Amino acid sequence: MNVLLLSMPDSFEHTPVLTMRMPNGALASLAGNVDPHHRVAVADLILAQNDVAGTVARLVRDIEPDVVGLSIMTFQRRTALAIARLVRSMRPGVRIVAGGYDPSLAPQAYESPESGIEFIVRGEGDLTFRELLRAFERREDPARIEGLSYRAQDRPDRFVHNPARHVSALDSGTINLPNRAARVLSGYTFLGRPIDIIETSRGCTYDCSFCSIIEMRGRNFHTFQFDRVLADIADARGRGARAIFIVDDNVTLNVQRFEALCHAITAAGLNDIHYIVQAMTSSIAAHGDTLAPAMRKAGFKYVFLGIENIIDEDLVFLKAAAKNATRSGGRAVGNATLRAVECLHREGMYVVGGIIVGNPDDTRESIDRNLAFARDYVDWPYIQHPTPYPGTPMTEDFRARNLIVNERVEEYDGTTAVVRTAHLAAEEIEFMRWRAERWMKVRHLPAVLRHYPGFVVAHGPQMLAHTFRGSTWRSVLGLETARDVFKRYKQIRHRERQYVPEDLLLPPEGGSHENHRSGGSDEKHRGGGSHENHRGGGSHENDQGDAGHDIHEPALHQV
């Protein structure tokens, strides 16, 4: 069968395509785990943001797929449904399968026959998708495929949900290496270096309220054998990668294993690559004296720390206190963040600080404290707003307190505030973050220049232009206020989200509470916000192969 696997073009504000274009690990893993006689093409549409519809149309014409798979995070839902409509218009008989965090946790959003989605692979997709292709070939009933949802024959507006599939025990060898040769687009990059992603483990045992990981797969942690991990790195390097993002949900759950992995990377001569990883502050703080030097020798350059917040009350709401605690005698005795930052800086690594502001009881003062901390201690700010992703405990809390002011999920990309606090409007929260964060990013440019001089010399003006989108000569001269610039920035972000022609888009699903409920805020909903994408330090929805991130929505092992 001809199979076309697509990841969405929608990208995060903190990972602009100018500086970072990472592959979707989920799709390459699916391609590596289907039966070898299938012809599989993987296309990461983040590489084609300027012509998404044209690229999809060309791929459909060239590949003539029998099956199309879409990897979808929540803020990508609207784009994904438009792409499904385009594919269906070109090949009416094609089978369209959706997977990833959003279809897995919000299947009802895809139940309308207008969606064009016929099948949903829930949770890890490696084995489920392989079995689905076999069922297609054999013309078998899919009712026995664990982890699959499909349209009922007697009610095409409903999905039948088969029992969930247990997560894979990764040390058993049942999950093959990803098939990177299946990728049909090129241009993955991190600050000018070709980049790829690998995984050494899956899962997390913490229960952070904002995170989709445990809603997808439960609280568990499974690891690949080192020989498999090293082979994966070697394959990526052999295909040109000079930077690698380790997209594990929480690699520092087992610090001894992670430190041993660093030594194994060095011993294998694979330390000529720049590595990026996500980590917990408590693990780095407790073991940094030996772990940080091992990381430096292995080639680690950037570490995403899931700081989440520096205020104890906010950490309690986020259920993230335990993973950010310093311990003595088995008891928590303080916050581990400063110690973790110190350990990493001592070995010359840079800290990407994952911080969440705009929690239910946040005030202007509490947000300012977090922004000041980021300004003083982190190298690259990754500051986001809490976002009500499907199925997370945080979503229930926000709904119960009537704090959600924006239901337009295409704006749930992490850097648009879509919830207010008890004290501040959502747009005010976003304005505070946006105004402070721009200058923090500029401060890191000299370090980037030292390590990636060619890229900065070639693209420095574009980097600054992106960071200060909305600014004009009038604002530079002080003839306009920061709020005037912010308003233009919001308009630019709205335009940037339009990846496909309007005629392919379904009507918006929602708006603000003033349209749907009594009470709530009178704010206009613009912008987005996301926590679906963090791994390691913890995050919201985790983008992964979508890569990463506390990058909130990991799409790594989902379709």
Side-chain angles (χ1 to χ4, degrees):
M1 301 178 73
N2 292 339
V3 180
L4 175 60
L5 303 177
L6 301 171
S7 69
M8 299 302 103
D10 314 63
S11 58
F12 293 98
E13 168 71 10
H14 287 312
T15 54
V17 295
L18 172 66
T19 58
M20 187 182 303
R21 295 188 295 274
M22 283 192 268
N24 181 303
L27 300 188
S29 184
L30 293 185
N33 283 279
V34 301
D35 294 319
H37 63 276
H38 296 296
R39 179 192 176 205
V40 183
V42 171
D44 291 303
L45 296 176
I46 195 170
L47 301 172
Q49 282 187 341
N50 292 332
D51 186 20
V52 173
T55 301
V56 172
R58 175 177 60 81
L59 291 170
V60 170
R61 285 194 299 269
D62 292 349
I63 295 165
E64 298 182 337
D66 304 294
V67 178
V68 171
L70 307 176
S71 178
I72 312 169
M73 292 189 287
T74 298
F75 77 106
Q76 300 170 334
R77 183 190 299 170
R78 196 174 185 213
T79 300
L81 292 175
I83 289 173
R85 292 182 71 188
L86 173 60
V87 171
R88 180 74 66 198
S89 71
M90 297 182 66
R91 287 184 70 79
V94 71
R95 294 180 170 104
I96 300 180
V97 186
Y101 279 84
D102 193 52
S104 294
L105 298 178
Q108 68 280 1
Y110 299 85
E111 282 192 331
S112 168
E114 287 186 355
S115 75
I117 307 298
E118 298 172 277
F119 301 89
I120 292 177
V121 171
R122 308 188 319 271
E124 292 184 345
D126 315 270
L127 305 182
T128 304
F129 190 67
R130 179 169 67 197
E131 291 182 16
L132 179 60
L133 293 187
R134 289 174 178 173
F136 289 158
E137 287 188 306
R138 299 166 183 169
R139 300 187 179 184
E140 294 177 346
D141 189 335
R144 295 185 178 181
I145 301 176
E146 293 180 341
L148 183 72
S149 299
Y150 60 96
R151 293 200 178 276
Q153 290 187 351
D154 58 337
R155 289 291 305 275
D157 59 335
R158 298 277 183 87
F159 278 116
V160 175
H161 301 293
N162 292 349
R165 180 179 295 275
H166 291 294
V167 297
S168 300
L170 304 180
D171 58 358
S172 65
T174 57
I175 305 299
N176 299 329
L177 285 171
N179 178 9
R180 296 182 173 91
R183 294 170 180 159
V184 294
L185 303 179
S186 61
Y188 306 108
T189 183
F190 173 73
L191 296 174
R193 282 191 161 228
I195 192 169
D196 213 317
I197 68 168
I198 65 113
E199 55 175 345
T200 85
S201 66
R202 295 179 182 178
C204 182
T205 57
Y206 285 88
D207 62 346
C208 300
S209 67
F210 50 76
C211 188
S212 298
I213 294 167
I214 57 173
E215 305 306 321
M216 277 283 275
R217 53 177 293 126
R219 296 171 66 180
N220 53 71
F221 181 66
H222 295 280
T223 60
F224 287 110
Q225 298 286 347
F226 278 5
D227 56 351
R228 198 262 194 197
V229 174
L230 296 176
D232 200 8
I233 295 173
D235 180 65
R237 187 178 69 167
R239 297 178 186 278
R242 293 299 176 264
I244 285 181
F245 190 175
I246 297 177
V247 295
D248 296 29
D249 299 311
N250 195 344
V251 71
T252 51
L253 270 178
N254 186 334
V255 177
Q256 289 74 24
R257 175 183 177 274
F258 181 42
E259 186 171 331
L261 176 61
C262 292
H263 292 306
I265 288 171
T266 302
L270 296 171
N271 57 342
D272 57 347
I273 294 170
H274 288 188
Y275 291 91
I276 309 163
V277 72
Q278 299 179 123
M280 290 192 300
T281 60
S282 58
S283 297
I284 299 293
H287 303 276
D289 289 340
T290 58
L291 176 60
M295 292 172 65
R296 175 184 54 80
K297 291 177 183 177
F300 285 84
K301 299 296 182 184
Y302 284 90
V303 179
F304 183 99
L305 279 183
I307 299 166
E308 317 309 1
N309 204 281
I310 64 165
I311 297 173
D312 290 343
E313 292 79 7
D314 277 350
L315 286 174
V316 170
F317 167 73
L318 297 169
K319 296 184 179 179
K323 71 188 186 75
N324 287 283
T326 298
R327 297 186 177 278
S328 178
R331 298 177 60 189
V333 294
N335 193 294
T337 299
L338 286 178
R339 164 72 175 159
V341 171
E342 176 188 322
C343 291
L344 296 171
H345 280 170
R346 189 170 60 228
E347 296 299 327
M349 287 175 280
Y350 295 111
V351 173
V352 180
I355 296 176
I356 303 168
V357 298
N359 299 301
D361 294 309
D362 273 357
T363 62
R364 186 177 302 277
E365 291 71 27
S366 64
I367 292 175
D368 277 336
R369 283 178 59 190
N370 277 280
L371 295 175
F373 180 90
R375 188 181 303 113
D376 292 341
Y377 294 105
V378 308
D379 300 294
W380 184 262
Y382 204 106
I383 304 169
Q384 300 197 77
H385 305 299
T387 304
Y389 291 115
T392 62
M394 170 183 282
T395 299
E396 297 176 12
D397 291 340
F398 279 123
R399 289 207 183 281
R401 296 182 64 172
N402 196 31
L403 296 177
I404 301 173
V405 300
N406 185 346
E407 302 278 3
R408 297 177 61 188
V409 296
E410 62 267 25
E411 299 182 353
Y412 281 26
D413 58 9
T415 49
T416 300
V418 298
V419 300
R420 62 183 177 88
T421 77
H423 309 284
L424 292 171
E427 190 156 306
E428 184 65 16
I429 298 164
E430 185 181 344
F431 173 74
M432 293 175 67
R433 175 201 58 78
W434 166 85
R435 182 175 56 180
E437 198 174 50
R438 296 178 303 161
W439 296 102
M440 298 182 209
K441 292 177 178 178
V442 170
R443 188 188 60 186
H444 187 56
L445 274 178
V448 180
L449 179 62
R450 286 195 299 273
H451 292 281
Y452 308 95
F455 181 82
V456 175
V457 169
H459 299 288
Q462 294 167 275
M463 295 168 70
L464 289 171
H466 179 271
T467 301
F468 289 93
R469 299 197 307 295
S471 298
T472 66
W473 283 112
R474 287 178 56 80
S475 58
V476 171
L477 294 173
L479 301 177
E480 292 181 322
T481 68
R483 292 188 185 274
D484 293 325
V485 179
F486 179 64
K487 182 178 180 180
R488 275 197 299 272
Y489 158 78
K490 297 280 281 182
Q491 293 168 346
I492 292 169
R493 277 298 289 150
H494 176 75
R495 292 195 298 270
E496 288 173 344
R497 293 189 183 96
Q498 310 306 312
Y499 296 102
V500 293
E502 287 286 339
D503 61 342
L504 290 173
L505 294 171
L506 293 170
E509 295 177 44
S512 70
H513 279 187
E514 62 243 60
N515 290 336
H516 296 287
R517 315 183 169 204
S518 58
S521 163
D522 61 354
E523 303 174 66
K524 304 213 171 167
H525 33 277
R526 314 173 174 180
S530 157
H531 290 62
E532 290 180 298
N533 244 353
H534 287 302
R535 300 211 155 217
S539 106
H540 298 47
E541 258 191 326
N542 231 331
D543 170 354
Q544 202 194 263
D546 294 9
H549 17 319
D550 236 282
I551 287 174
H552 285 69
E553 185 176 32
L556 178 59
H557 11 276
Q558 292 76 36
V559 175

